[in-house]
């Protein structure tokens, strides 16, 4: 696999993320799961690309993230890495790949880095993951934590609901965020938590918060690319703002092409290849 020079100018690594927090500069993160979208996202100047386990919903149609496998994320990550020059590539650790033992979790995270090309890994959980985060960081694996709504806990939580709405839950999330920072995570995703709580956590921490459905005060905003551009189906969460309707653009293109094929307008002569005059002469001789 041909990887870019790690010291390429402008490439986003941990120091750039830390420096942005210190300057109070907002950064942006989007998901990507393949080469073309990674190229588009990277070339658009996005700072961080998440090879999210939302691949389970968006690409594989599983309905949730539980079935996503390490192979699926690794394969997506290889493609994303090849399409990315500047952004930091972060790979999600799928459900079941960091739950059995610390050693196995390290092995799986290393796989995402060595074969997938990930530059950091993300895992869900609060204080229950702090020892693991420390171990991964001790093994030179940069870690993004993820608290609030943690979609891999969907069966335990019984759905996708805003987290941290009571004072007790909010305090617990603040404690979790601090423990994860102490454990060595360099950023923490805050998913679907009240904006005031996300603001408090962002102020308390020296590491970056990455918000999704968590208001404007987070240091970094993340969205699922396919939500942003109109390539997901059904009711969208309140925090999704659609900036394009690529699904409709694709539908129109496909319908127009089909109609042209049926009417004989596609392909025309300039869209196909002809015999040379010499070949025609020889064939008719
Ligand atoms: O998998 C994913 O896309 C995520 C984001 C929603 C943060 O975890």
């Amino acid at each position: 696999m041909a990887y870019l020079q790690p010291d390429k100018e402008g490439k986003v690594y941990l120091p750039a993320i830390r420096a942005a927090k210190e300057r109070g500069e907002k950064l942006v993160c989007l998901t990507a799961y393949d080469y073309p979208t990674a190229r588009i996202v990277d070339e658009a100047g996005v700072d961080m690309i998440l090879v999210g386990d939302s691949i389970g919903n968006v690409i594989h149609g599983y309905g949730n993230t539980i079935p996503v496998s390490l192979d699926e994320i690794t394969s997506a990550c290889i493609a994303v890495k090849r399409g990315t020059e500047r952004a930091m590539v972060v790979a999600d650790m799928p459900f079941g790949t960091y739950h059995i033992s610390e050693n196995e979790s390290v092995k799986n995270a290393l796989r995402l880095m060595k074969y997938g090309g990930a530059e950091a890994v993300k895992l869900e959980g609060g204080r229950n993951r702090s020892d693991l985060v420390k171990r991964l960081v001790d093994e030179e694996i940069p870690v993004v934590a993820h608290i609030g709504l943690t979609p891999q806990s969907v069966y335990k939580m019984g759905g996708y609901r805003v987290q941290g709405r009571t004072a007790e839950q909010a305090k617990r999330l603040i404690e979790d965020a601090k423990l994860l920072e102490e454990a060595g995570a360099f950023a923490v995703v805050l998913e679907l938590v009240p904006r005031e709580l996300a603001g408090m956590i962002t102020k308390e921490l020296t590491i970056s918060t990455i918000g999704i459905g968590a208001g404007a005060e987070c240091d970094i905003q993340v969205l699922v690319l396919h939500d942003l551009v109109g390539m997901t189906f059904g009711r969208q969460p309140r925090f999704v703002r659609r900036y394009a309707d690529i699904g409709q653009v694709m539908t129109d293109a496909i319908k127009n092409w089909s109609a042209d094929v049926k009417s004989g307008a596609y392909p025309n002569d300039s869209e196909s290849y002809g015999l040379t005059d010499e070949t025609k002469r020889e064939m008719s001789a």
Side-chain angles (χ1 to χ4, degrees):
M1 199 179 306
Y3 287 140
L4 293 158
Q5 295 302 315
D7 55 355
K8 191 179 157 61
E9 182 152 358
K11 174 80 183 86
V12 180
Y13 292 116
L14 268 60
I17 307 282
R18 283 195 204 106
K21 168 104 186 181
E22 278 162 26
R23 286 196 301 269
E25 182 194 339
K26 301 253 186 208
L27 298 182
V28 285
C29 174
L30 281 175
T31 57
Y33 318 104
D34 59 30
Y35 176 82
T37 54
R39 273 197 71 159
I40 291 167
V41 166
D42 188 56
E43 286 170 15
V46 165
D47 307 290
M48 197 184 266
I49 298 185
L50 173 65
V51 185
D53 60 356
S54 50
I55 193 173
N57 306 69
V58 176
I59 302 297
H60 299 307
Y62 293 150
N64 63 44
T65 58
I66 302 295
V68 174
S69 69
L70 191 65
D71 282 349
E72 283 166 337
I73 294 284
T74 309
S75 155
C77 202
I78 290 168
V80 165
K81 178 70 173 221
R82 287 180 175 230
T84 304
E85 289 219 350
R86 177 183 166 274
M88 173 187 282
V89 176
V90 181
D92 246 334
M93 295 197 69
F95 184 62
T97 65
Y98 57 98
H99 300 71
I100 294 168
S101 70
E102 279 190 9
N103 283 348
E104 194 174 317
S105 309
V106 170
K107 193 168 143 224
N108 291 333
L110 290 175
R111 181 167 171 76
L112 288 170
M113 292 181 77
K114 286 174 70 76
Y115 300 105
E119 292 149 0
V121 300
K122 175 169 86 59
L123 53 85
E124 297 182 5
R127 63 199 66 203
N128 57 327
R129 302 281 175 231
S130 60
D131 287 345
L132 174 60
V133 169
K134 183 170 183 333
R135 171 75 195 280
L136 292 167
V137 173
D138 283 348
E139 306 297 1
E140 318 304 332
I141 300 166
V143 177
V144 177
H146 182 157
I147 58 173
L149 175 75
T150 47
Q152 292 175 7
S153 317
V154 59
Y155 296 145
K156 187 173 157 194
M157 289 180 167
Y160 301 112
R161 294 192 195 87
V162 178
Q163 303 294 309
R165 280 195 138 146
T166 67
E168 193 190 334
Q169 289 166 357
K171 281 184 194 153
R172 199 175 159 83
L173 281 173
I174 295 173
E175 282 166 17
D176 279 346
K178 284 190 190 156
L179 288 168
L180 291 161
E181 172 172 77
E182 275 164 31
F186 74 93
V188 56
V189 170
L190 305 177
E191 180 163 357
L192 222 56
V193 300
R195 55 183 171 273
E196 297 86 349
L197 174 59
M200 283 178 222
I201 297 176
T202 302
K203 282 197 190 80
E204 286 276 337
L205 299 189
T206 58
I207 60 170
S208 302
T209 55
I210 307 179
I212 176 160
E217 286 189 48
C218 296
D219 300 302
I220 304 175
Q221 291 289 329
V222 59
L223 276 181
V224 169
L225 171 70
H226 290 64
D227 287 340
L228 177 90
V229 300
M231 281 187 69
T232 43
F233 307 96
R235 218 175 118 242
Q236 297 298 310
R238 160 198 305 222
F239 57 82
V240 170
R241 193 185 293 178
R242 285 217 146 148
Y243 284 82
D245 193 348
I246 300 298
Q248 192 57 51
V249 170
M250 287 175 75
T251 304
D252 292 346
I254 293 162
K255 283 188 174 166
N256 289 339
W257 174 75
S258 303
D260 282 353
V261 169
K262 288 176 188 178
S263 71
Y266 177 87
N268 63 28
D269 284 357
S270 69
E271 290 158 333
S272 56
Y273 306 89
L275 292 173
T276 62
D277 289 345
E278 192 188 349
T279 307
K280 281 185 199 161
R281 267 195 309 280
E282 280 173 20
M283 289 182 72
S284 59

